[in-house]
Amino acid sequence: MSDKLQWIDDALAELREKGLYNTIRTIESPQGAWLVVDGKRVLNFCSNNYLGLANDPRLVQAAKEAIDKLGVGPAAVRTIAGTMSIHVELEKRLAEFKEAEAAIQFQSGFTANLGTIPALVGRGDAIFSDELNHASIIDGSRLSRAQIVRYPHNDARTLRTLLEEQRGQFNRALIVTDGVFSMDGDIAPLPELTRLAEEFDCMMMVDDAHGEGVLGHGGRGIVHHFDLQGRVDVEVGTMSKAFGVVGGYVAGNAKVVEWLRQRGRPFLFSSATTVPDTAACLAAVNILEESTELVDRLWENTHYFKDEMVKLGFDIGQSMTPITPVMLGDEKLTQEFSRRLFEEGVFATAIAYPTVPLGKARIRVMISAAHSRDDLDQGLAVFAKVGRELGVI
Ligand SMILES: *Cc1c(COP(=O)(O)O)cnc(C)c1O
């Protein structure tokens, strides 16, 4: 009898052969500057916990109190009977924080993109999309059935040419970009893109997953960073990175948000985030509203670490954010570098093809406000040691 799942074994074997098989490490401690990974205590240089909120006692306390008051689950999708006061409160607070007209919560940043793009464009419409946009933007775009027109990364000039040539062939159009690109840490030219959207009658959408809690005053995100409040129709956000919890949202134009309550399919057909998640998200927003301390510390740590890495002689690419790609180029060297870092007590992942182009392999260091100066110094010393050992510096 033939095994109808044999193809999976074959496909997995091929991944292993090509060095593309994903081995997933298990973390046995709370998130923070240090982790216990596979039984070993290591310095954490790879999570998106930019502000150290994932295990902040204030978020933990808020989640506990909310459970005591409201239980754990929402028990239905939002539109049937699952909207609780705590969800409404979070949306209101997020809109205020982002200085947007309104906000709507989704279960994740991924579902926010999946739900939003098909609600805005469909057959006969166009999506002008940066070639390096996140997988959830690509999937949401495909679901919409609109024509996808990819433009070269961060290239507003070529986008203009494409709009001049093609905009007239479509009914509605959407320009969509990541705010911060997670592999290089570079920032989208949002002012130029927004001007093009206005000139060519396109809706403007930015996914600011790696920008909120990081860019803009007190971490209000890329729209605030460029002073574009009121001009970007859709700002997608996640609560799973700087905010330290889980969940997604759209902030922006009130009409768009109203429409998503009627037509955003993950909003209509999938249950809301749980009570403790939502309460912890609210606590995170409140912390960011109250003080810029964590965001300031994140940037201090970022500048310190990057300056020291450059002094050591590492190539850290063109990042403008706490994402620090240590460019090594060769795939095998990068795997070896990451393995040696781990042996020396530093957890920093190797990123290679197909996530980034061949020959552009790197170790991606994620700096956090949770790191003390001493943590950073320890990490730098290990990078220096391994870098010399492997002939990189
Ligand atoms: C991480 C990320 C997402 C997904 O966010 P989740 O809330 O974890 O689903 C979406 N878009 C971008 C650009 C991201 O970096």
Side-chain angles (χ1 to χ4, degrees):
M1 205 173 64
S2 75
D3 178 359
K4 65 188 175 187
L5 298 181
Q6 178 62 38
W7 67 270
I8 295 180
D9 289 332
D10 299 344
L12 289 173
E14 191 183 333
L15 287 181
R16 286 198 187 88
E17 230 163 77
K18 290 185 175 158
L20 299 177
Y21 182 83
N22 237 338
T23 308
I24 303 172
R25 289 193 189 273
T26 306
I27 298 166
E28 292 142 359
S29 61
Q31 281 291 339
W34 291 82
L35 302 172
V36 177
V37 180
D38 297 336
K40 185 178 163 76
R41 186 170 179 271
V42 287
L43 179 61
N44 178 11
F45 269 171
C46 47
S47 79
N48 298 320
N49 186 21
Y50 287 112
L51 301 175
L53 290 175
N55 190 34
D56 186 289
R58 293 165 289 184
L59 272 68
V60 172
Q61 187 59 29
K64 286 180 182 165
E65 284 171 11
I67 288 179
D68 286 341
K69 216 168 106 191
L70 296 169
V72 284
V77 300
R78 297 270 311 266
T79 45
I80 309 270
T83 293
M84 302 177 79
S85 53
I86 198 166
H87 296 125
V88 177
E89 171 73 3
L90 178 60
E91 290 173 338
K92 184 170 150 278
R93 297 287 291 120
L94 277 171
E96 285 166 2
F97 177 65
K98 304 290 282 189
E99 297 177 15
E101 286 179 13
I104 174 173
Q105 205 207 351
F106 285 87
Q107 300 83 355
S108 70
F110 202 104
T111 57
N113 280 324
L114 282 196
T116 301
I117 299 174
L120 297 178
V121 287
R123 271 189 225 284
D125 301 332
I127 300 165
F128 293 86
S129 181
D130 188 290
E131 64 181 350
L132 295 188
N133 276 342
H134 190 262
S136 54
I137 295 179
I138 296 170
D139 289 4
S141 300
R142 287 178 180 156
L143 272 178
S144 77
R145 297 190 170 92
Q147 177 80 39
I148 299 164
V149 182
R150 284 169 20 128
Y151 63 86
H153 178 51
N154 278 351
D155 184 349
R157 189 178 296 221
T158 302
L159 173 59
R160 163 176 286 282
T161 308
L162 291 168
L163 286 164
E164 283 167 352
E165 288 168 1
Q166 300 190 36
R167 174 67 186 94
Q169 302 163 24
F170 299 99
N171 184 14
R172 291 200 289 272
L174 175 73
I175 298 174
V176 60
T177 184
D178 279 20
V180 173
F181 289 84
S182 61
M183 292 304 143
D184 288 291
D186 53 339
I187 300 180
L190 201 58
E192 288 82 352
L193 299 179
T194 304
R195 270 197 296 277
L196 288 172
E198 288 163 353
E199 186 179 336
F200 289 90
D201 188 28
C202 303
M203 293 171 281
M204 184 68 226
M205 170 167 169
V206 63
D207 177 348
D208 203 27
H210 281 278
E212 57 216 337
V214 177
L215 296 178
H217 176 70
R220 281 165 179 73
I222 192 170
V223 170
H224 201 278
H225 171 77
F226 283 122
D227 253 328
L228 294 168
Q229 294 95 317
R231 290 174 63 195
V232 174
D233 304 297
V234 183
E235 195 179 349
V236 167
T238 175
M239 310 302 292
S240 70
K241 290 177 176 138
F243 287 94
V245 194
V246 74
Y249 65 91
V250 167
N253 186 286
K255 261 188 273 197
V256 171
V257 169
E258 174 69 5
W259 181 239
L260 292 175
R261 286 192 205 287
Q262 305 302 319
R263 284 292 179 274
R265 288 171 70 83
F267 182 82
L268 295 167
F269 296 108
S270 178
S271 294
T273 51
T274 70
V275 167
D277 285 329
T278 315
C281 289
L282 256 173
V285 176
N286 289 339
I287 288 168
L288 289 193
E289 286 260 25
E290 271 162 27
S291 153
T292 63
E293 185 193 333
L294 290 175
V295 180
D296 295 344
R297 194 180 314 147
L298 169 66
W299 281 100
E300 264 168 46
N301 282 352
T302 298
H303 293 311
Y304 177 74
F305 184 81
K306 285 184 170 179
D307 287 351
E308 294 299 313
M309 285 294 278
V310 169
K311 278 188 216 160
L312 284 172
F314 285 104
D315 172 2
I316 56 166
Q318 308 299 320
S319 170
M320 295 159 78
T321 63
I323 296 168
T324 309
V326 182
M327 307 302 289
L328 298 172
D330 182 74
E331 284 70 30
K332 285 226 171 77
L333 169 68
T334 305
Q335 292 294 350
E336 174 65 6
F337 204 108
S338 174
R339 200 185 57 75
R340 283 289 298 123
L341 288 175
F342 194 79
E343 280 175 4
E344 297 287 335
V346 172
F347 187 25
T349 20
I351 299 202
Y353 182 80
T355 308
V356 295
L358 266 179
K360 298 251 182 195
R362 78 254 343 237
I363 304 280
R364 189 179 63 160
V365 175
M366 303 297 277
I367 297 298
S368 168
H371 294 123
S372 67
R373 180 59 61 91
D374 189 47
D375 295 335
L376 297 176
D377 284 337
Q378 287 188 51
L380 286 160
V382 171
F383 260 95
K385 179 176 177 190
V386 175
R388 287 190 192 107
E389 179 187 304
L390 297 179
V392 173
I393 54 170

